[in-house]
Amino acid sequence: MPTIGNKIMVDSRSTHLWLDKHSMSLPRGSSSQVGFSIGPSFSSDCISHPNSHLFLVLFNQYEFMALLAMKFTVGEINNSSNILPNVSLGYEIYDTCHDVKLIQRAALMFLTEGNDSVVQVLCNYTDYKPKVVAVVGPSTSDMVMATGKMFSFFYLPQISHQASNDKFSDKSTFPSFMRTVPSDQRLVQGMVQLLKEFQWNWISVIASMNQYGEQGLFQLTSLAYQNGICIAYQAYIPQNISDPNFNTSIQKMLIDIQKTGVNVTTVFSTLPEAQAFLKVVIGTQLRMVWIAGPTWSQDLTIQQMPGLQSIGTVIGFTVKSKTISGFKEYVHNKLYQIELERRLLLNASSTNVDISQYVFQTQDLQEQCQSCSMLSPENITVLQDPIILGLAYHVYTAVYFIAQAIHSLMHSPVYNLHKEAFNILPWQILQELKYGNITVDNIVLDSNGNPNTGYDILTWTYNRKSPFLKVGTFQEELMLERSQITWHSSKPGWLSTVQKCYGILWFSGIEDEE
């Protein structure tokens, strides 16, 4: 009976971390291995070791929880009698370290056939059977851009749990890409409807300098102009937030915003840049209405910044999600295991106790990730973080879409698979995902691979016990309970004319100090 180990690999030579001890026995001829590219799974930075392995420098709790959500979901499916009975899904996980070269190397590993270490060059790939039949991830638009065309060439289904860039809706370029979060086009439509609801037609837009921010800014400004909304000022947050001139650059940006007289600013940014930007905003006490995208609308780190209330009113969009039954208990058990083995290892090193008979699950993890010492049931609060719970749900639904497609194919008379998952090819799963009317938790994917999911609209209460209050929803139309919004700034009015909207102030990055 073959066994496929559960491995986290951070380079092609496979540094095996703690999940490789949790192997699954698969029935012969009935295994369908699903590749997962959730990254960076452990860190946002990695360093090379002389033996060519990679070691973790910065721990990313969001991606770590996404990894656990994936593992939890595969286990749930493998233990289910309703979906894929007598078939087990296997997987491999790669940490991208947010590095294009690393994720492309991982993508090539997924595309190899059998035990080959290289991708074969063929005239016809119809019957080509790569190592994996589908990929979940990665989480960022930059990393999808580096892999999407490669997977699409092989018609290998790729479902991202977080990448929302609308470019990926173009099926002529990314035919095999899908996602479990809405595209930014829908987000922009919601933001513009919100602006129109309050008749705010004189605003500024701030964006991060990456695929997410650049595309979002372009779409928002285009749709805003079409609806008579003037973008009086737009700017990119400097990419290097550790640059010594970063704060000075943001302060200059904020002065320019004040000069325009706007009272509403939309921040279309990835999380680290939004955190750094708002920290400077708090220091300047620039009070207005801030419109937040899903990346930071529920961020607890920003919520805990001293003086946050001085920035005014925050209205945010967050992708609709649900709580996964049993996931919190699963994570607590894993964290308890990590803590228990850490104590055993520390005790053994100081007392020379023989622990050779103990089968450790986390030793490699703790040796290679110093930042992972924060993982324990006592000091980790990520399961109260709404961003993480939402992220876990989107991974959960992505895995179920793949499993449902495989299940449907095994019972389809069209492909004549004789109920053998081993015979399934990636392009068949892609066809089933596109045309098989698959539904997961009332979510369906449209012809562009986008879900019919909408947004909840929140306002910040500045109450640490209940920091967010739902005030509306958006899917196709905006539904808003205006009376629920508490204005922590002067409620913005609107200009009777937007004739001044000709010369837009523009700031694009850090300027050298002369």
Side-chain angles (χ1 to χ4, degrees), residues 281-283 285 304-312 462 464:
V281 173
I282 293 170
Q285 297 187 344
Q304 295 166 2
M305 291 181 180
L308 178 65
Q309 193 167 345
S310 67
I311 71 173
Y462 301 111
R464 290 207 171 187

Side-chain angles (χ1 to χ4, degrees), residues 111-114 116 119-133 153-156 415-417 421-429:
L111 293 169
T112 58
E113 186 174 28
D116 289 348
V119 178
Q120 298 180 40
V121 178
L122 304 173
C123 294
N124 188 333
Y125 285 93
T126 303
D127 296 321
Y128 185 76
K129 190 180 296 182
K131 184 181 294 185
V132 302
V133 295
F153 177 81
F154 289 86
Y155 288 98
L156 183 75
Y415 293 103
N416 193 30
L417 296 169
F422 185 77
N423 296 326
I424 292 176
L425 297 169
W427 66 265
Q428 294 172 325
I429 296 176

Side-chain angles (χ1 to χ4, degrees), residues 315-372:
I315 301 174
F317 286 74
T318 181
V319 181
K320 286 180 174 292
S321 64
K322 296 180 182 179
T323 300
I324 305 172
S325 177
F327 180 61
K328 287 186 177 181
E329 294 76 13
Y330 174 84
V331 173
H332 276 299
N333 289 337
K334 289 301 176 188
L335 298 181
Y336 176 79
Q337 182 183 42
I338 292 172
E339 177 67 13
L340 173 65
E341 296 193 358
R342 180 186 298 118
R343 291 177 181 176
L344 283 171
L345 288 167
L346 289 173
N347 185 54
S349 62
S350 60
T351 61
N352 295 321
V353 174
D354 182 15
I355 56 172
S356 58
Q357 302 303 310
Y358 187 89
V359 180
F360 283 92
Q361 311 293 335
T362 70
Q363 184 172 3
D364 290 342
L365 170 71
Q366 299 187 53
E367 289 176 354
Q368 297 172 47
C369 177
Q370 299 300 317
S371 301
C372 296

Side-chain angles (χ1 to χ4, degrees), residues 134-331:
V135 173
V136 171
S139 59
T140 68
S141 296
D142 289 340
M143 294 294 101
V144 172
M145 196 65 71
T147 58
K149 293 180 182 179
M150 192 184 307
F151 290 138
S152 289
F153 177 81
F154 289 86
Y155 288 98
L156 183 75
Q158 177 182 20
I159 305 181
S160 176
H161 53 287
Q162 206 171 15
S164 55
N165 193 310
D166 195 54
K167 288 182 179 180
F168 306 134
S169 296
D170 181 0
K171 294 302 104 176
S172 64
T173 306
F174 300 97
S176 70
F177 178 85
M178 286 159 267
R179 51 186 149 208
T180 52
V181 294
S183 79
D184 291 333
Q185 181 63 35
R186 177 166 290 181
L187 173 62
V188 165
Q189 291 168 352
M191 287 180 169
V192 169
Q193 285 199 29
L194 178 69
L195 294 170
K196 291 176 67 178
E197 172 73 17
F198 289 104
Q199 296 182 301
W200 295 334
N201 58 2
W202 185 253
I203 71 168
S204 63
V205 181
I206 304 299
S208 52
M209 198 179 295
N210 50 28
Q211 286 283 344
Y212 176 77
E214 291 169 4
Q215 183 71 6
L217 185 145
F218 172 76
Q219 289 180 294
L220 181 58
T221 53
S222 299
L223 192 59
Y225 284 133
Q226 293 173 26
N227 286 270
I229 298 168
C230 178
I231 310 297
Y233 179 84
Q234 56 185 339
Y236 286 126
I237 300 171
Q239 199 165 21
N240 186 0
I241 60 178
S242 61
D243 190 293
N245 294 327
F246 180 85
N247 286 5
T248 301
S249 299
I250 299 299
Q251 288 167 357
K252 179 184 182 304
M253 189 186 300
L254 298 177
I255 291 171
D256 289 341
I257 290 175
Q258 287 179 299
K259 288 178 180 178
T260 67
V262 303
N263 290 311
V264 180
T265 295
T266 297
V267 181
F268 214 111
S269 170
T270 42
L271 182 57
E273 290 79 6
Q275 290 173 338
F277 172 78
L278 289 167
K279 187 174 181 180
V280 181
V281 173
I282 293 170
T284 60
Q285 297 187 344
L286 178 59
R287 186 181 292 266
M288 64 172 63
V289 174
W290 303 91
I291 299 176
T295 53
W296 66 276
S297 61
Q298 291 182 291
D299 182 54
L300 296 180
T301 299
I302 296 175
Q303 279 283 323
Q304 295 166 2
M305 291 181 180
L308 178 65
Q309 193 167 345
S310 67
I311 71 173
T313 305
V314 178
I315 301 174
F317 286 74
T318 181
V319 181
K320 286 180 174 292
S321 64
K322 296 180 182 179
T323 300
I324 305 172
S325 177
F327 180 61
K328 287 186 177 181
E329 294 76 13
Y330 174 84
V331 173

Side-chain angles (χ1 to χ4, degrees), residues 424-438:
I424 292 176
L425 297 169
W427 66 265
Q428 294 172 325
I429 296 176
L430 182 61
Q431 291 290 100
E432 192 65 24
L433 286 167
K434 285 187 173 184
Y435 308 113
N437 297 317
I438 293 174

